[in-house]
Amino acid sequence: MGFLDGAADVREFRRACLEGRVVPEPSLLVRSAMAEARVVMDAAGNAKLSKGVEGGRRLRARDDAAAAAILAVTEGSRRQSSLSSRGVYLGVA
């Protein structure tokens, strides 16, 4: 996840969480992955999921589940918006 793609993914994930579209089942894996996940910003304000910060602690962290969750929610949002823009009935009012 670079700054170009990561910024859009992180932004869409945050939006989905704040709007209540993402409600995960209680899971120790997701909880620990999100607790370890860190986002860094570049000078232009673009965010990306970070690896390797805070003196080596992040090198041992397992934030692959957080990255997978971010990518899955983003892809789901993209697919849902493309289907709804084409007038496909999604079964949701």
Side-chain angles (χ1 to χ4, degrees), residues 2 6 10 16 31 35-36 40 52-53 65 68 76 78:
V10 169
R31 181 184 302 174
E36 290 292 326
V40 294
V53 295
R78 285 183 189 134

PDB file of all heavy atoms in Angstrom, residues 2 6 10 16 31 35-36 40 52-53 65 68 76 78:
ATOM      1  N   GLY A   2       0.950   1.902  -1.131  1.00  0.00           N
ATOM      2  CA  GLY A   2       1.688   3.152  -1.207  1.00  0.00           C
ATOM      3  C   GLY A   2       0.780   4.321  -0.866  1.00  0.00           C
ATOM      4  O   GLY A   2      -0.391   4.156  -0.549  1.00  0.00           O
ATOM      5  N   GLY A   6      -2.967   3.652  -1.095  1.00  0.00           N
ATOM      6  CA  GLY A   6      -3.275   3.506   0.321  1.00  0.00           C
ATOM      7  C   GLY A   6      -4.154   4.618   0.851  1.00  0.00           C
ATOM      8  O   GLY A   6      -4.998   4.396   1.722  1.00  0.00           O
ATOM      9  N   VAL A  10      -7.552   3.745   2.799  1.00  0.00           N
ATOM     10  CA  VAL A  10      -7.708   4.134   4.206  1.00  0.00           C
ATOM     11  C   VAL A  10      -8.883   5.093   4.360  1.00  0.00           C
ATOM     12  O   VAL A  10      -9.685   4.969   5.284  1.00  0.00           O
ATOM     13  CB  VAL A  10      -6.403   4.750   4.754  1.00  0.00           C
ATOM     14  CG1 VAL A  10      -6.618   5.406   6.102  1.00  0.00           C
ATOM     15  CG2 VAL A  10      -5.320   3.695   4.848  1.00  0.00           C
ATOM     16  N   ALA A  16     -16.457   4.042   5.788  1.00  0.00           N
ATOM     17  CA  ALA A  16     -17.364   2.915   5.997  1.00  0.00           C
ATOM     18  C   ALA A  16     -17.553   2.632   7.486  1.00  0.00           C
ATOM     19  O   ALA A  16     -18.665   2.328   7.934  1.00  0.00           O
ATOM     20  CB  ALA A  16     -16.834   1.671   5.285  1.00  0.00           C
ATOM     21  N   ARG A  31      -9.126  -7.513  16.484  1.00  0.00           N
ATOM     22  CA  ARG A  31      -8.870  -6.531  17.541  1.00  0.00           C
ATOM     23  C   ARG A  31      -7.382  -6.258  17.694  1.00  0.00           C
ATOM     24  O   ARG A  31      -6.949  -5.109  17.738  1.00  0.00           O
ATOM     25  CB  ARG A  31      -9.436  -7.021  18.867  1.00  0.00           C
ATOM     26  CG  ARG A  31      -9.214  -6.018  19.997  1.00  0.00           C
ATOM     27  CD  ARG A  31      -9.691  -6.547  21.315  1.00  0.00           C
ATOM     28  NE  ARG A  31     -11.108  -6.870  21.225  1.00  0.00           N
ATOM     29  CZ  ARG A  31     -11.793  -7.456  22.198  1.00  0.00           C
ATOM     30  NH1 ARG A  31     -11.188  -7.793  23.311  1.00  0.00           N
ATOM     31  NH2 ARG A  31     -13.064  -7.707  22.054  1.00  0.00           N
ATOM     32  N   ALA A  35      -5.356  -2.856  16.637  1.00  0.00           N
ATOM     33  CA  ALA A  35      -4.622  -2.166  17.697  1.00  0.00           C
ATOM     34  C   ALA A  35      -3.177  -1.908  17.298  1.00  0.00           C
ATOM     35  O   ALA A  35      -2.596  -0.890  17.673  1.00  0.00           O
ATOM     36  CB  ALA A  35      -4.669  -2.983  18.983  1.00  0.00           C
ATOM     37  N   GLU A  36      -2.593  -2.797  16.521  1.00  0.00           N
ATOM     38  CA  GLU A  36      -1.206  -2.644  16.080  1.00  0.00           C
ATOM     39  C   GLU A  36      -1.066  -1.823  14.814  1.00  0.00           C
ATOM     40  O   GLU A  36       0.023  -1.367  14.492  1.00  0.00           O
ATOM     41  CB  GLU A  36      -0.576  -4.024  15.846  1.00  0.00           C
ATOM     42  CG  GLU A  36      -0.340  -4.810  17.111  1.00  0.00           C
ATOM     43  CD  GLU A  36       0.738  -4.189  17.978  1.00  0.00           C
ATOM     44  OE1 GLU A  36       1.700  -3.608  17.438  1.00  0.00           O
ATOM     45  OE2 GLU A  36       0.616  -4.279  19.203  1.00  0.00           O
ATOM     46  N   VAL A  40       0.475   6.410   8.523  1.00  0.00           N
ATOM     47  CA  VAL A  40       1.384   7.545   8.400  1.00  0.00           C
ATOM     48  C   VAL A  40       0.886   8.440   7.277  1.00  0.00           C
ATOM     49  O   VAL A  40       0.234   7.989   6.340  1.00  0.00           O
ATOM     50  CB  VAL A  40       2.840   7.104   8.129  1.00  0.00           C
ATOM     51  CG1 VAL A  40       3.398   6.359   9.317  1.00  0.00           C
ATOM     52  CG2 VAL A  40       2.943   6.280   6.882  1.00  0.00           C
ATOM     53  N   GLY A  52       7.041  -1.023  10.166  1.00  0.00           N
ATOM     54  CA  GLY A  52       8.401  -0.745  10.599  1.00  0.00           C
ATOM     55  C   GLY A  52       8.624   0.585  11.281  1.00  0.00           C
ATOM     56  O   GLY A  52       9.562   1.281  10.940  1.00  0.00           O
ATOM     57  N   VAL A  53       7.779   0.953  12.240  1.00  0.00           N
ATOM     58  CA  VAL A  53       7.999   2.173  13.001  1.00  0.00           C
ATOM     59  C   VAL A  53       8.075   1.829  14.485  1.00  0.00           C
ATOM     60  O   VAL A  53       7.859   0.695  14.887  1.00  0.00           O
ATOM     61  CB  VAL A  53       6.874   3.216  12.768  1.00  0.00           C
ATOM     62  CG1 VAL A  53       6.879   3.681  11.337  1.00  0.00           C
ATOM     63  CG2 VAL A  53       5.528   2.669  13.127  1.00  0.00           C
ATOM     64  N   ALA A  65      -3.789  -8.788   8.886  1.00  0.00           N
ATOM     65  CA  ALA A  65      -5.250  -8.885   9.012  1.00  0.00           C
ATOM     66  C   ALA A  65      -5.888  -7.504   8.881  1.00  0.00           C
ATOM     67  O   ALA A  65      -6.953  -7.367   8.283  1.00  0.00           O
ATOM     68  CB  ALA A  65      -5.630  -9.529  10.341  1.00  0.00           C
ATOM     69  N   ALA A  68      -5.759  -6.638   5.205  1.00  0.00           N
ATOM     70  CA  ALA A  68      -6.760  -7.420   4.480  1.00  0.00           C
ATOM     71  C   ALA A  68      -8.157  -6.867   4.720  1.00  0.00           C
ATOM     72  O   ALA A  68      -8.972  -6.799   3.792  1.00  0.00           O
ATOM     73  CB  ALA A  68      -6.691  -8.883   4.904  1.00  0.00           C
ATOM     74  N   GLY A  76     -15.313  -4.008  -1.475  1.00  0.00           N
ATOM     75  CA  GLY A  76     -16.760  -4.163  -1.355  1.00  0.00           C
ATOM     76  C   GLY A  76     -17.493  -2.864  -1.616  1.00  0.00           C
ATOM     77  O   GLY A  76     -18.539  -2.846  -2.269  1.00  0.00           O
ATOM     78  N   ARG A  78     -16.401  -0.384  -3.486  1.00  0.00           N
ATOM     79  CA  ARG A  78     -16.284  -0.096  -4.917  1.00  0.00           C
ATOM     80  C   ARG A  78     -17.273  -0.916  -5.725  1.00  0.00           C
ATOM     81  O   ARG A  78     -17.926  -0.411  -6.631  1.00  0.00           O
ATOM     82  CB  ARG A  78     -14.871  -0.398  -5.399  1.00  0.00           C
ATOM     83  CG  ARG A  78     -13.852   0.619  -4.987  1.00  0.00           C
ATOM     84  CD  ARG A  78     -12.494   0.294  -5.566  1.00  0.00           C
ATOM     85  NE  ARG A  78     -11.485   1.153  -4.992  1.00  0.00           N
ATOM     86  CZ  ARG A  78     -10.324   0.749  -4.544  1.00  0.00           C
ATOM     87  NH1 ARG A  78      -9.987  -0.526  -4.631  1.00  0.00           N
ATOM     88  NH2 ARG A  78      -9.466   1.603  -4.023  1.00  0.00           N
TER      89      ARG A  78
END
